[in-house]
Amino acid sequence: MNTKSYFFQSFAIVALAFIAFIGFKQILPDKIFSDSKIDSKNVLIDSMLLESVANDSLSLESDSIAEAEQQEAQQEIVFEDTEGIEFPSETFENYKGYQYLVSFYEKLYQLEKNPQSKVRIAYYGDSMTDGDLIVQDVRTNYQERFGGNGVGFVSITSESAASRGSVKSVYSKNWKTQSYLNVKRPISPFGVNGHVFFANDKTNPTWVQYEAGTNKYATTLDNPTLFYGKAGKRGNVNFIIGKDTLRKNLVPNNLVNSLKVTSGSIKAFKANFVHADSIPIYGFNFDNGSGVHVDNFSQRGNSGLPISMFDADVMRTFNSYLKYDLIVLHYGTNVLNYGTKNYHWYEKGMKKAVNKIRESFPGVSILIVSTADKSTKYELEMKTDSAVVPLMKAQKRYALESESGFVNLYTLMGGDGSMVKWVDETPARANKDYTHFNQRGAKAIGRLLYDQLNKGYEEYKILREKRDATSRQQRAARKTNTDSVSVKKDSVNE
């Protein structure tokens, strides 16, 4: 082949590839191709979200959507009582679903009566809760009122470990990590945090080190306990606490196994894993055994859809140890990036995720937190992204249909145009990406979330006291009737 023909052949291949790319780009959502520069090593792609978007069928016409939403807004939601508790009816517009949090509120009530009891919350989220943002403030508010020390469950590795202040962790670089975000068939089942880790310790030491942070109620590592999975071979782990080294065995006989490092509170420790490369490792739990504990299971890039891949048997085993009372699903940031305003496909997928939660954690209350406001540039002005309200309504819809509580974060922070205000005010409460909150804003959001949940709890206590008062009156009336009948019988006998 001569040089000239080789040149033309190469040029043709490049041209065809370019044309194919342009054609393929047209059928993909515009926002996959970002205008901003992104650090690719920190970008995680939710494979289930990509599949759902690719399979999305926009079968509903805009007119029929608008008509359905108009009817929906006027809908009255009447609740059936739970254990004699019935919250007032609501409209779809103002739906909060406190009725579906009754079991959680009852646990808080019992904790308030008995400070030695325990309430646990799992908070699943995306980059909005990265680095324990928002969650650490929800945790602090609950522990301030109900007691409790510790940051809860912490993964072995995390892309946000360096930015998390509530607990400090560093780890060796040879951990093998599998995430439910982009792995469909993990080597071993995912843990309650949606991850599974393996110690590649055959050539280099594999370790993780934790140190307590400075957050209130988290200045120590309380009762550190390792959780790991099932495997055919045993291993060891050496815990270095100060000048002492504790050598302990890993006996991976059950679906989920626990190993307490030490009782009480310590400031820091290092765990060296030895001959443990075949054992699935999940993470460590830190709590003092009473009060409220909140686990942050954040994952950048997550839509919430991967929760449907949980192994229910494994989750039930985790729950036998951790005993969750409320599970929060806080998603939406990543779902906004795909240029659609019809989120029927997302409703359908998230209902499956909620059903998996119910199967995995029987009897648990579930709370859906909607997308916050997000701003996008239209012509030359930053305004609320046109997809925010349709997504928020879809989230409210699947919360209602799945009998979950609901927090409308969009309206809670101020509604239309609120993100622009949070970014532009001094001092700012959100970042210049007009999507994520900074530390100050996250603290404010954490407080808003807690306040709404607490308002429902205070209403619950009033309803509970009314129920109990009615029950006492009925018992007293029955006793009076019984005594009256007894007196009449005695009179007849005399």
Side-chain angles (χ1 to χ4, degrees), residues 89-321:
S89 62
E90 298 183 82
T91 63
F92 180 81
E93 185 72 21
N94 298 310
Y95 176 70
K96 294 180 179 64
Y98 293 144
Q99 183 70 46
Y100 302 124
L101 304 179
V102 164
S103 64
F104 169 62
Y105 288 150
E106 176 61 21
K107 290 294 184 68
L108 285 178
Y109 185 85
Q110 295 302 327
L111 175 58
E112 203 165 17
K113 298 294 183 184
N114 175 20
Q116 297 307 308
S117 59
K118 186 176 177 180
V119 170
R120 194 173 197 101
I121 301 170
Y123 201 117
Y124 290 90
D126 51 28
S127 58
M128 298 296 279
T129 56
D130 201 41
D132 215 17
L133 290 178
I134 298 175
V135 182
Q136 63 186 355
D137 299 298
V138 172
R139 182 187 302 117
T140 297
N141 283 310
Y142 268 111
Q143 292 180 337
E144 181 80 46
R145 176 170 179 182
F146 294 96
N149 284 285
V151 296
F153 197 101
V154 181
S155 293
I156 295 295
T157 75
S158 167
E159 65 270 10
S160 64
S163 63
R164 181 169 180 171
S166 54
V167 64
K168 301 173 185 177
S169 65
V170 290
Y171 44 85
S172 59
K173 301 302 181 184
N174 54 332
W175 283 98
K176 180 177 181 178
T177 303
Q178 292 195 311
S179 165
Y180 65 165
L181 204 68
N182 45 34
V183 175
K184 282 191 174 181
R185 296 176 181 82
I187 299 170
S188 293
F190 298 120
V192 68
N193 51 353
H195 291 74
V196 59
F197 306 91
F198 293 91
N200 290 326
D201 57 7
K202 290 184 177 179
T203 55
N204 296 302
T206 305
W207 54 269
V208 61
Q209 181 173 311
Y210 298 96
E211 181 183 350
T214 57
N215 287 20
K216 197 174 184 180
Y217 311 115
T219 56
T220 55
L221 303 176
D222 301 283
N223 300 315
T225 303
L226 171 68
F227 283 85
Y228 60 101
K230 189 173 185 177
K233 295 180 181 179
R234 295 190 176 194
N236 304 102
V237 57
N238 297 328
F239 297 106
I240 302 170
I241 307 172
K243 295 181 180 180
D244 299 325
T245 299
L246 305 175
R247 180 180 173 85
K248 298 198 175 188
N249 296 323
L250 296 173
V251 186
N253 293 337
N254 303 313
L255 276 177
V256 180
N257 309 273
S258 70
L259 175 64
K260 181 170 282 191
V261 180
T262 185
S263 297
S265 301
I266 58 178
K267 284 288 187 180
F269 72 92
K270 184 176 183 179
N272 289 319
F273 290 81
V274 182
H275 304 305
D277 57 294
S278 65
I279 301 175
I281 308 295
Y282 295 121
F284 286 86
N285 178 57
F286 307 103
D287 74 61
N288 70 332
S290 62
V292 177
H293 300 283
V294 185
D295 301 335
N296 182 358
F297 299 135
S298 65
Q299 174 71 75
R300 295 177 189 172
N302 201 346
S303 67
L305 297 174
I307 286 174
S308 62
M309 292 195 300
F310 275 165
D311 184 308
D313 290 334
V314 172
M315 293 304 114
R316 282 192 290 266
T317 308
F318 264 105
N319 200 41
S320 68
Y321 288 102

